[in-house]
Amino acid sequence: MKPVMSCILNRRSVRTYIPQEVSVDDIMQLLTAASWAPSGNNLQPWKFSVVVNNKDLIKEVSSLTVFRNWVQNSSCLIAVFLDTKIANPKIESAHLKHIQSIGAAIQNILLAANELGLATCWIGEILKNEDQVRELLGVSDDLQLMAVISVGHSNKNSLKSKRRDISKNIISWL
Ligand SMILES: Cc1cc2nc3c(=O)[nH]c(=O)nc-3n(C[C@H](O)[C@H](O)[C@H](O)COP(=O)(O)O)c2cc1C
């Protein structure tokens, strides 16, 4: 199987981490993968705040989600923001495109991590505490929180989640 397809099919959200540091080199690769995502008008509306091998701050950020029990065991958190200075949220149709671009960047991170043998989970539940996340990370309010990604090492990838049959997703084939 081609490497990209293999990464797509083998990636799963991982919620069990072992205490092992993530290297700066690996994080830079994840951010490089994110930066090469497609974006509307190539505006690249993303910004990242990285918390790495900093147990105290990881614990504080984790406390802002109901998933704190396992998020706090990760070695790195990548908070992904939409830069509203680049992407004006008042123009609604454009805003949708910018959010889609951020989704592409996040997916690139997850797939690159999978290739590097790193475990990740996309955490959206924390968005309800956007202001507190921004405060903890010292991020200004012209950046809108899109997700936090937990990154770490794991000895578990059970390939647990399943997908419905593709035929159920195809509404027409003309
Ligand atoms: C927008 C978005 C938000 C998500 N938020 C959370 C979350 O807050 N907590 C969590 O454990 N998983 C979260 N996930 C992961 C999904 O639960 C997961 O992708 C889905 O169940 C499929 O499982 P898989 O990633 O293992 O294939 C989120 C995924 C997406 C795309």
Side-chain angles (χ1 to χ4, degrees):
M1 200 184 296
K2 299 274 191 198
V4 173
M5 199 60 187
S6 161
C7 269
I8 291 170
L9 297 184
N10 290 310
R11 182 216 57 82
R12 292 294 186 283
S13 298
V14 178
R15 302 178 179 88
T16 313
Y17 300 100
I18 55 170
Q20 186 180 332
E21 297 201 342
V22 175
S23 72
V24 171
D25 212 52
D26 280 357
I27 293 163
M28 288 309 294
Q29 287 203 59
L30 301 186
L31 299 182
T32 302
S35 304
W36 279 96
S39 61
N41 299 100
N42 198 16
L43 281 179
Q44 305 162 57
W46 40 69
K47 288 284 185 306
F48 308 100
S49 172
V50 180
V51 184
V52 62
N53 306 324
N54 180 340
K55 279 195 183 125
D56 292 342
L57 189 51
I58 287 175
K59 200 166 180 186
E60 280 189 90
V61 176
S62 304
S63 73
L64 300 173
T65 164
V66 296
F67 302 114
R68 59 181 68 86
N69 285 352
W70 52 265
V71 176
Q72 68 180 354
N73 296 330
S74 63
S75 304
C76 171
L77 296 176
I78 302 176
V80 184
F81 294 90
L82 172 71
D83 189 339
T84 60
K85 294 195 297 313
I86 297 175
N88 185 350
K90 290 192 184 114
I91 308 167
E92 209 173 302
S93 57
H95 194 55
L96 200 55
K97 274 196 301 184
H98 300 316
I99 289 175
Q100 290 170 357
S101 306
I102 299 277
I106 295 173
Q107 180 68 354
N108 271 10
I109 291 178
L110 305 188
L111 293 178
N114 187 263
E115 186 174 67
L116 294 171
L118 294 170
T120 57
C121 189
W122 178 331
I123 303 153
E125 194 273 338
I126 201 168
L127 294 180
K128 63 177 191 210
N129 289 322
E130 174 179 7
D131 291 344
Q132 291 99 306
V133 173
R134 240 198 264 108
E135 199 181 320
L136 276 176
L137 301 178
V139 169
S140 60
D141 63 6
D142 48 17
L143 298 181
Q144 188 185 353
L145 183 65
M146 294 281 113
V148 172
I149 306 168
S150 56
V151 185
H153 293 274
S154 185
N155 43 24
K156 283 195 190 152
N157 184 355
S158 57
L159 296 182
K160 216 168 49 194
S161 77
K162 302 273 183 247
R163 294 298 184 269
R164 75 173 83 87
D165 192 88
I166 301 164
S167 64
K168 296 204 166 63
N169 298 335
I170 302 171
I171 50 158
S172 60
W173 189 304
L174 308 169

